Amino acid sequence: MKPSSVARIDDHYRDLGGRFAVTEDPSFATLVVPNGNHSRPFHRWFRQKESFSADLVSAVLGRWRDGAGGDVFLDPFAGSGTALLAASDSQLGSKPLFAASYGVEANPFLHFVGATKIAARAHGAPGLAGLARDVVRDVRLNRVDPAPIPGLSSFANSGYFPPSDLRRLLQLRAAIDESGVEGTTRSVAHLCLSACLEPVSALRRDGRALRYEPAKVRAHPVEEFERRIEIAVDDLAIRAGVGASDLILGDGRRIDEVIPRSKSISVAVFSPPYLNNIDYTEVYKLEAWFLGFYRDHRAFRQQRLQTLRSHPSVRFPEVYGLSANGHKREFDSLIEPLLRTIPNNRYKVWREPLFRGYFDDMLETLAGIRKRLEPGGLVVYVVGNSLHGTSKRPLLVASDLLIAGLSELVGFDVVEIVIGRRPTRRSGGTLLRESVVALKPQAS
Ligand SMILES: C[S@@+](CC[C@H](N)C(=O)[O-])C[C@H]1O[C@@H](n2cnc3c(N)ncnc32)[C@H](O)[C@@H]1O
């Protein structure tokens, strides 16, 4: 017999699913993952493994907007800028599809990656090849003192970074800094160098953690840097008209405060952090510490607290916005059946506020976008449902349905939920999936 709370959540998901147009389209399977980005100019400069494909934006516009763009494009969880770059690169005839594209990203390193790609795409990076040549020469001749070792303990672990390789990486860093080259060119050199860290180390990004793999075939620091610079130089030779775009370091839950007041959003496409315990601050910590984005451990912890409440790396303040104030009754009737299903064990004390916080954050995000959406605008989110609990007591969070339900509270109609991909592992049932959900503003 299933416990009654589990039976109730199954019914709840069935009722919710029955209210929406839920379809399945395998052509989205390769679009909700970073398929193709590794060989695309600019996108290939840094691999954010949680990205979606650069082709997603045109597929979304094709399916729900007859291919049309608009004035303003937005991605409030922009990561390394995939959607922003794709939107600002898209053209209709000789005109950009969007007059302006805005992105918001909270992680300082990922923001740096996206902003650097966008600036380089728009304005180039003059002198990059020459800078790299000088830097590599000086490092090979041992003419440069290494930059100080970053304060993160992973850099002091000689199993993760053999000292001679770490020294080379830090010499490259110092040589770039001392070159006197500023602006986008210097940023592209820093980006290429930061992209060498994982390949040079014995660590591998694996889900929510960096895994130590002593037998990993590691890249050579200087050669890897040269290889990445060459790719960047090749990509920078491609010239094309691009729309204006701006990636802002900030909080995607507060769109109203971050994008200019005069702008109304035509199309928003985004993938928020999933409720799957991935802490982006942790996953991209090597690069962020190496480039000096955190002064100390206090700043590092502070960064975790800025992120969406999707992971238990920190105890987030139990502060709730619209879910407690304004939409409490409807929010509770949507989310309480899930909260009641959380097993009563030692994890419940952090799981319950985390789940509540996640959906409160999503409600704030949707409300912020809705407030600034133009009539006839389109909002599309990509989200994966997640499986928590144990094999005996699985706890499935159907974020695609629950967020769709929340969107109705703040003035959206759910146009369609397209199931794009189902993970290969069997447990979790049919609801374990990644979906692409389209919303339009309710007619007023
Ligand atoms: C699924 S990833 C998005 C990846 C992006 N679509 C791409 O293709 O590069 C979610 C992103 O949300 C960011 N994030 C987390 N909390 C945020 C917040 N409060 N505001 C803005 N971005 C946030 C994470 O750092 C992460 O980069």
Short mmCIF file of all heavy atoms in Angstrom, two decimals, residues 37 48 50-53 75-83 104-107 110 250-253 270-274 280 306-308, ligand 1:
data_model
loop_
_atom_site.label_atom_id
_atom_site.label_comp_id
_atom_site.label_asym_id
_atom_site.label_seq_id
_atom_site.Cartn_x
_atom_site.Cartn_y
_atom_site.Cartn_z
N ASN A 37 26.77 22.79 -28.82
CA ASN A 37 27.45 24.02 -28.36
C ASN A 37 28.98 23.87 -28.42
O ASN A 37 29.69 24.85 -28.61
CB ASN A 37 27.05 24.40 -26.94
CG ASN A 37 25.57 24.77 -26.82
OD1 ASN A 37 24.84 24.70 -27.81
ND2 ASN A 37 25.14 25.14 -25.64
N GLN A 48 29.58 24.94 -20.14
CA GLN A 48 28.73 24.87 -18.94
C GLN A 48 27.83 23.67 -19.17
O GLN A 48 26.97 23.69 -20.06
CB GLN A 48 27.91 26.14 -18.72
CG GLN A 48 27.16 26.06 -17.39
CD GLN A 48 26.27 27.25 -17.07
OE1 GLN A 48 26.17 28.20 -17.85
NE2 GLN A 48 25.61 27.21 -15.94
N GLU A 50 25.39 22.41 -17.76
CA GLU A 50 23.94 22.50 -17.52
C GLU A 50 23.26 23.41 -18.55
O GLU A 50 22.06 23.71 -18.42
CB GLU A 50 23.66 23.06 -16.12
CG GLU A 50 24.34 22.34 -14.98
CD GLU A 50 25.78 22.75 -14.77
OE1 GLU A 50 26.24 23.71 -15.44
OE2 GLU A 50 26.48 22.12 -13.96
N SER A 51 23.99 23.85 -19.57
CA SER A 51 23.38 24.73 -20.58
C SER A 51 22.37 23.97 -21.43
O SER A 51 22.42 22.75 -21.53
CB SER A 51 24.46 25.25 -21.54
OG SER A 51 25.34 26.10 -20.87
N PHE A 52 21.51 24.75 -22.09
CA PHE A 52 20.72 24.13 -23.16
C PHE A 52 21.41 24.42 -24.49
O PHE A 52 22.43 25.12 -24.53
CB PHE A 52 19.25 24.56 -23.14
CG PHE A 52 18.98 26.03 -22.93
CD1 PHE A 52 19.54 27.00 -23.74
CD2 PHE A 52 18.12 26.45 -21.91
CE1 PHE A 52 19.26 28.35 -23.56
CE2 PHE A 52 17.83 27.80 -21.71
CZ PHE A 52 18.42 28.74 -22.54
N SER A 53 20.84 23.87 -25.57
CA SER A 53 21.47 24.04 -26.87
C SER A 53 21.21 25.45 -27.41
O SER A 53 20.13 26.02 -27.21
CB SER A 53 20.90 23.01 -27.85
OG SER A 53 21.28 23.35 -29.16
N ASP A 75 16.73 36.50 -20.79
CA ASP A 75 16.99 35.24 -20.09
C ASP A 75 17.40 35.59 -18.66
O ASP A 75 18.51 36.07 -18.42
CB ASP A 75 18.11 34.46 -20.80
CG ASP A 75 18.39 33.13 -20.07
OD1 ASP A 75 17.91 32.94 -18.94
OD2 ASP A 75 19.10 32.27 -20.65
N PRO A 76 16.50 35.36 -17.68
CA PRO A 76 16.80 35.78 -16.30
C PRO A 76 17.76 34.84 -15.56
O PRO A 76 18.19 35.17 -14.45
CB PRO A 76 15.42 35.75 -15.62
CG PRO A 76 14.61 34.78 -16.42
CD PRO A 76 15.13 34.83 -17.83
N PHE A 77 18.08 33.69 -16.13
CA PHE A 77 19.06 32.76 -15.52
C PHE A 77 20.04 32.40 -16.63
O PHE A 77 20.09 31.26 -17.10
CB PHE A 77 18.36 31.52 -14.95
CG PHE A 77 17.35 31.86 -13.89
CD1 PHE A 77 16.00 31.90 -14.16
CD2 PHE A 77 17.78 32.18 -12.60
CE1 PHE A 77 15.07 32.25 -13.17
CE2 PHE A 77 16.86 32.53 -11.61
CZ PHE A 77 15.51 32.56 -11.89
N ALA A 78 20.84 33.37 -17.03
CA ALA A 78 21.51 33.31 -18.33
C ALA A 78 22.71 32.38 -18.38
O ALA A 78 23.19 32.07 -19.45
CB ALA A 78 21.93 34.72 -18.75
N GLY A 79 23.23 31.94 -17.21
CA GLY A 79 24.38 31.04 -17.23
C GLY A 79 25.50 31.66 -18.02
O GLY A 79 25.83 32.85 -17.89
N SER A 80 26.10 30.87 -18.93
CA SER A 80 27.21 31.38 -19.72
C SER A 80 26.72 32.06 -21.00
O SER A 80 27.50 32.24 -21.93
CB SER A 80 28.19 30.26 -20.02
OG SER A 80 27.49 29.13 -20.47
N GLY A 81 25.44 32.39 -21.05
CA GLY A 81 24.95 33.28 -22.11
C GLY A 81 24.48 32.60 -23.38
O GLY A 81 24.37 33.26 -24.42
N THR A 82 24.14 31.31 -23.32
CA THR A 82 23.75 30.59 -24.54
C THR A 82 22.59 31.27 -25.27
O THR A 82 22.66 31.56 -26.46
CB THR A 82 23.32 29.14 -24.19
OG1 THR A 82 24.32 28.55 -23.38
CG2 THR A 82 23.11 28.30 -25.44
N ALA A 83 21.51 31.51 -24.53
CA ALA A 83 20.30 32.05 -25.17
C ALA A 83 20.54 33.47 -25.65
O ALA A 83 20.08 33.87 -26.72
CB ALA A 83 19.12 32.01 -24.20
N VAL A 104 20.39 37.91 -17.14
CA VAL A 104 20.77 38.15 -15.75
C VAL A 104 21.38 36.85 -15.25
O VAL A 104 20.86 35.76 -15.52
CB VAL A 104 19.55 38.51 -14.87
CG1 VAL A 104 20.00 38.87 -13.46
CG2 VAL A 104 18.76 39.65 -15.48
N GLU A 105 22.51 36.96 -14.55
CA GLU A 105 23.16 35.78 -13.99
C GLU A 105 23.77 36.15 -12.65
O GLU A 105 24.39 37.21 -12.51
CB GLU A 105 24.24 35.27 -14.98
CG GLU A 105 25.18 34.21 -14.45
CD GLU A 105 24.48 32.95 -13.93
OE1 GLU A 105 23.56 32.43 -14.58
OE2 GLU A 105 24.88 32.49 -12.83
N ALA A 106 23.59 35.27 -11.67
CA ALA A 106 24.04 35.58 -10.31
C ALA A 106 25.47 35.13 -10.04
O ALA A 106 26.14 35.67 -9.16
CB ALA A 106 23.11 34.91 -9.30
N ASN A 107 25.95 34.13 -10.76
CA ASN A 107 27.29 33.61 -10.49
C ASN A 107 28.34 34.49 -11.18
O ASN A 107 28.30 34.66 -12.39
CB ASN A 107 27.39 32.16 -11.00
CG ASN A 107 28.74 31.54 -10.70
OD1 ASN A 107 29.74 31.90 -11.30
ND2 ASN A 107 28.76 30.64 -9.74
N LEU A 110 30.29 32.67 -14.12
CA LEU A 110 29.47 32.38 -15.31
C LEU A 110 29.05 33.68 -15.99
O LEU A 110 29.01 33.78 -17.22
CB LEU A 110 28.26 31.53 -14.93
CG LEU A 110 28.63 30.12 -14.43
CD1 LEU A 110 27.41 29.40 -13.86
CD2 LEU A 110 29.25 29.29 -15.56
N GLY A 250 23.35 39.83 -11.49
CA GLY A 250 22.27 40.20 -10.59
C GLY A 250 21.35 39.04 -10.31
O GLY A 250 21.71 37.88 -10.52
N ASP A 251 20.15 39.38 -9.88
CA ASP A 251 19.21 38.37 -9.40
C ASP A 251 18.03 38.25 -10.37
O ASP A 251 17.24 39.19 -10.52
CB ASP A 251 18.72 38.80 -8.00
CG ASP A 251 17.98 37.68 -7.30
OD1 ASP A 251 17.49 36.76 -8.00
OD2 ASP A 251 17.90 37.72 -6.06
N GLY A 252 17.94 37.10 -11.01
CA GLY A 252 16.89 36.86 -12.01
C GLY A 252 15.49 36.87 -11.40
O GLY A 252 14.51 36.91 -12.14
N ARG A 253 15.41 36.76 -10.08
CA ARG A 253 14.09 36.80 -9.44
C ARG A 253 13.54 38.22 -9.38
O ARG A 253 12.41 38.44 -9.02
CB ARG A 253 14.19 36.24 -8.01
CG ARG A 253 14.54 34.77 -7.98
CD ARG A 253 14.95 34.32 -6.60
NE ARG A 253 16.20 34.91 -6.16
CZ ARG A 253 16.87 34.55 -5.07
NH1 ARG A 253 16.38 33.62 -4.28
NH2 ARG A 253 18.01 35.12 -4.75
N PHE A 270 14.22 30.70 -20.75
CA PHE A 270 15.19 30.46 -19.68
C PHE A 270 15.06 29.06 -19.09
O PHE A 270 14.04 28.39 -19.26
CB PHE A 270 15.02 31.49 -18.56
CG PHE A 270 13.70 31.44 -17.83
CD1 PHE A 270 13.57 30.75 -16.62
CD2 PHE A 270 12.59 32.09 -18.34
CE1 PHE A 270 12.36 30.72 -15.95
CE2 PHE A 270 11.36 32.05 -17.66
CZ PHE A 270 11.25 31.37 -16.46
N SER A 271 16.15 28.70 -18.42
CA SER A 271 16.15 27.45 -17.69
C SER A 271 16.63 27.79 -16.28
O SER A 271 17.82 28.11 -16.09
CB SER A 271 17.11 26.49 -18.40
OG SER A 271 17.31 25.38 -17.63
N PRO A 272 15.75 27.75 -15.29
CA PRO A 272 16.19 28.07 -13.93
C PRO A 272 16.99 26.90 -13.38
O PRO A 272 16.93 25.80 -13.94
CB PRO A 272 14.86 28.19 -13.17
CG PRO A 272 13.94 27.25 -13.88
CD PRO A 272 14.35 27.29 -15.33
N PRO A 273 17.74 27.10 -12.29
CA PRO A 273 18.32 25.93 -11.63
C PRO A 273 17.18 24.95 -11.34
O PRO A 273 16.08 25.38 -10.99
CB PRO A 273 18.89 26.51 -10.33
CG PRO A 273 19.15 27.95 -10.64
CD PRO A 273 18.06 28.36 -11.58
N TYR A 274 17.44 23.66 -11.54
CA TYR A 274 16.41 22.66 -11.21
C TYR A 274 16.48 22.38 -9.71
O TYR A 274 17.53 22.62 -9.08
CB TYR A 274 16.65 21.35 -11.97
CG TYR A 274 16.65 21.45 -13.49
CD1 TYR A 274 17.00 20.33 -14.26
CD2 TYR A 274 16.31 22.62 -14.15
CE1 TYR A 274 17.00 20.39 -15.66
CE2 TYR A 274 16.31 22.68 -15.54
CZ TYR A 274 16.66 21.56 -16.29
OH TYR A 274 16.67 21.62 -17.66
N TYR A 280 25.63 25.87 -8.19
CA TYR A 280 26.54 26.38 -9.22
C TYR A 280 27.78 27.04 -8.62
O TYR A 280 28.84 27.05 -9.23
CB TYR A 280 25.80 27.35 -10.15
CG TYR A 280 24.79 26.64 -11.02
CD1 TYR A 280 23.51 26.39 -10.55
CD2 TYR A 280 25.14 26.17 -12.28
CE1 TYR A 280 22.58 25.70 -11.32
CE2 TYR A 280 24.22 25.48 -13.06
CZ TYR A 280 22.94 25.25 -12.57
OH TYR A 280 22.06 24.55 -13.34
N GLN A 306 23.18 34.10 -2.43
CA GLN A 306 22.52 34.92 -3.48
C GLN A 306 21.75 34.06 -4.47
O GLN A 306 21.06 34.59 -5.34
CB GLN A 306 23.55 35.68 -4.34
CG GLN A 306 24.59 36.48 -3.61
CD GLN A 306 23.97 37.64 -2.91
OE1 GLN A 306 23.10 38.29 -3.48
NE2 GLN A 306 24.37 37.88 -1.68
N THR A 307 21.95 32.75 -4.42
CA THR A 307 21.42 31.91 -5.50
C THR A 307 19.99 31.48 -5.22
O THR A 307 19.52 31.54 -4.07
CB THR A 307 22.31 30.65 -5.70
OG1 THR A 307 22.33 29.90 -4.49
CG2 THR A 307 23.72 31.04 -6.06
N LEU A 308 19.33 31.03 -6.25
CA LEU A 308 17.98 30.49 -6.13
C LEU A 308 17.99 29.33 -5.12
O LEU A 308 18.96 28.56 -5.07
CB LEU A 308 17.57 29.98 -7.51
CG LEU A 308 16.08 29.86 -7.74
CD1 LEU A 308 15.63 31.04 -8.59
CD2 LEU A 308 15.74 28.59 -8.46
C1 LIG B 1 20.31 25.83 -15.75
S1 LIG B 1 21.52 27.10 -15.56
C2 LIG B 1 21.20 28.09 -16.98
C3 LIG B 1 22.14 27.79 -18.12
C4 LIG B 1 21.87 28.67 -19.34
N1 LIG B 1 20.55 28.44 -19.88
C5 LIG B 1 22.91 28.38 -20.43
O1 LIG B 1 22.55 27.72 -21.43
O2 LIG B 1 24.07 28.78 -20.25
C6 LIG B 1 20.83 28.08 -14.28
C7 LIG B 1 21.66 29.31 -13.96
O3 LIG B 1 20.98 30.10 -12.99
C8 LIG B 1 21.97 30.77 -12.23
N2 LIG B 1 21.36 31.33 -11.02
C9 LIG B 1 21.16 30.75 -9.80
N3 LIG B 1 20.52 31.61 -8.98
C10 LIG B 1 20.30 32.74 -9.70
C11 LIG B 1 19.68 33.99 -9.41
N4 LIG B 1 19.15 34.25 -8.22
N5 LIG B 1 19.63 34.92 -10.38
C12 LIG B 1 20.17 34.69 -11.61
N6 LIG B 1 20.80 33.55 -11.93
C13 LIG B 1 20.85 32.58 -10.99
C14 LIG B 1 23.02 29.71 -12.02
O4 LIG B 1 24.27 30.26 -11.65
C15 LIG B 1 23.04 29.02 -13.38
O5 LIG B 1 24.01 29.58 -14.23
#
